[in-house]
Amino acid sequence: MADSRELRTLTVPGGPAVAEVFPALEEMLADRGPALLPVPADDPARTRVLTDSQRPGDLIDDRAVLVVSTSGSTGTPKGAMLSAAALAASAAATDTVLGGPGRWLLALPAHHIAGVQVILRSLRAGNEPLVMDVTRGFDPAELPDAVAACRTGTASRAYTSLIPSQLTKVLDEGSSDAVAALADLDAVLLGGAAAAPQLLARAADAGIRVVRTYGMSETAGGCVYDGRPLPGARIEVDDDEGRVWLAGPQLALGYRNAPDHPAFARSGWFRTDDAGQLGPDGRLQILGRLDEALSVGGLTLLPQAVEDVLRQHSAVVDVVVVGIPDDRLGSRPVAAVTLRSTASADELREHVTASLGGHSAPAAIAVLERFPKLPGGKVDRRAVASRFVDGTIGP
């Protein structure tokens, strides 16, 4: 298709003011007007990076209506070009799996794909989203009133999307009313990071219907729910390295600023950087990032495998495992954790050794109050590794 549609920036405010962009998003859903590049109103530096790399003002593929940046953890962020048809397919499939369209509660930044999709699903169903103000952080105390407001109106169903740290905060710090508010929703989509089985069990015990999601900007957000592809989506896991491939009507057209990127070289498919496996029941399990795999004394170690085990320890809230250089082994795994109760590094290492063996146990474990984050909200693994290397954090 010819480049005949203009790409314009869409400056997205935080908090309730985000409602200012709803009309523009409705026009976009109808495949009218220019293509939109969401940028955060409160982050001029990030806006400059996005505008420099995505070239708003220039023409774009006529099929594209939305350009959503990747996290940009390694260099210039890429811009996934999504069509109105892809966004509609994603929303329709979500409605089918969850039990029908509804009104959505926005508790995520609205300039990233997960937040944008919360808005679009609600608008597509004819319901204006209810917005929580998370500009100063996510506060579980606001959930009861927010969910009650989300339940007003004609929509018979109500949903939200959270990341695991938000759900953890509700269960660890929230009142019984906050927990009950989440349980009153018809579903809570949970994505953006791995969720510990213990967290999922606690949510289930509280009556919260959690639906685990897997996907990315290139797939219009989550396209695999609880390990199964959404209607129309397809999954392949190759035999050579266990790489996950995704296909379906929700797939992006490609990258705005990397038209020949190999991730889209196979027609109709997106090549992820994730390793996974399909279980006997056909459910997808993500094992870790192939581009984060560590070589430890000649053995390959996926950090997520260690993270998954550490998240099962009762004291651990969250964890990130990274590799740092080692003259003898090539690299060695180290871990940063946030805790809800006291646990020694030796205790945590023994917990890993019991499940995965001694070669997987982190050589050092640091306790942090919070993790450094990338603009998209994911943990900045490079920053964690550099702090171990320069001695800023460590045992």
Side-chain angles (χ1 to χ4, degrees):
M1 298 291 289
D3 289 352
S4 56
R5 190 192 296 260
E6 184 185 357
L7 176 64
R8 294 182 188 172
T9 56
L10 179 70
T11 301
V12 181
V18 72
E20 297 171 6
V21 305
F22 291 172
L25 292 176
E26 288 186 293
E27 284 287 295
M28 181 201 73
L29 272 178
D31 204 1
R32 296 194 296 263
L36 301 177
L37 171 69
V39 298
D42 59 353
D43 192 344
R46 180 65 177 172
T47 295
R48 282 195 298 274
V49 169
L50 293 176
T51 54
D52 287 348
S53 62
Q54 308 306 323
R55 308 187 315 278
D58 290 356
L59 297 181
I60 194 170
D61 188 318
D62 184 57
R63 297 168 294 174
V65 297
L66 183 68
V67 176
V68 186
S69 71
T70 61
S71 61
S73 59
T74 54
T76 303
K78 299 182 289 294
M81 299 187 295
L82 296 166
S83 67
L87 295 168
S90 175
T94 294
D95 290 345
T96 297
V97 171
L98 296 187
R103 190 179 189 193
W104 286 74
L105 171 64
L106 177 65
L108 297 170
H111 55 281
H112 299 297
I113 188 60
V116 170
Q117 280 287 44
V118 165
I119 297 172
L120 296 183
R121 294 184 197 112
S122 206
L123 292 177
R124 186 174 180 274
N127 303 307
E128 183 166 301
L130 197 286
V131 182
M132 281 185 69
D133 190 348
V134 294
T135 54
R136 294 180 179 85
F138 174 72
D139 185 358
E142 297 178 6
L143 274 173
D145 287 343
V147 171
C150 196
R151 281 294 191 187
T152 62
T154 60
S156 62
R157 303 182 68 80
Y159 309 109
T160 194
S161 286
L162 300 177
I163 57 176
S165 61
Q166 290 175 311
L167 179 59
T168 299
K169 193 170 186 178
V170 174
L171 295 174
D172 281 353
E173 304 173 19
S175 65
S176 59
D177 287 343
V179 175
L182 279 191
D184 185 49
L185 294 170
D186 293 286
V188 175
L189 299 189
L190 193 69
Q198 184 183 58
L199 174 62
L200 299 175
R202 292 176 66 200
D205 289 344
I208 301 169
R209 181 194 175 192
V210 170
V211 177
R212 295 175 295 111
T213 71
Y214 168 70
M216 54 281 296
S217 298
E218 294 88 343
T219 58
C223 63
V224 179
Y225 284 12
D226 285 335
R228 297 193 182 280
L230 290 179
R234 290 175 289 161
I235 303 170
E236 282 189 5
V237 177
D238 68 36
D239 295 330
D240 294 333
E241 52 185 349
R243 185 183 297 273
V244 176
W245 293 74
L246 300 170
Q250 76 291 330
L251 201 65
L253 302 168
Y255 292 125
R256 162 70 165 170
N257 55 339
D260 299 319
H261 197 281
F264 288 97
R266 181 184 174 192
S267 179
W269 289 85
F270 173 67
R271 187 196 73 180
T272 77
D273 286 321
D274 295 318
Q277 63 184 17
L278 294 172
D281 60 356
R283 291 181 186 268
L284 175 67
Q285 179 186 4
I286 298 299
L287 303 177
R289 297 270 303 180
L290 290 166
D291 54 358
E292 293 169 358
L294 308 178
S295 178
V296 182
L299 299 174
T300 299
L301 175 67
L302 292 174
Q304 187 169 323
V306 182
E307 293 170 358
D308 287 344
V309 169
L310 282 170
R311 286 192 185 97
Q312 295 175 32
H313 192 284
S314 60
V316 175
V317 176
D318 207 355
V319 56
V320 57
V321 173
V322 296
I324 61 175
D326 184 271
D327 291 339
R328 183 174 64 88
L329 299 174
S331 65
R332 56 191 172 104
V334 294
V337 297
T338 57
L339 300 177
R340 62 172 56 89
S341 59
T342 302
S344 70
D346 285 343
E347 178 185 347
L348 296 177
R349 276 194 289 268
E350 289 171 5
H351 180 73
V352 174
T353 298
S355 294
L356 301 177
H359 77 283
S360 297
I365 298 178
V367 178
L368 304 181
E369 290 187 6
R370 63 185 63 86
F371 297 139
K373 297 292 183 68
L374 293 164
K378 295 184 179 180
V379 175
D380 188 341
R381 291 175 176 270
R382 281 185 169 186
V384 172
S386 67
R387 292 182 188 184
F388 270 103
V389 171
D390 65 22
T392 306
I393 61 174

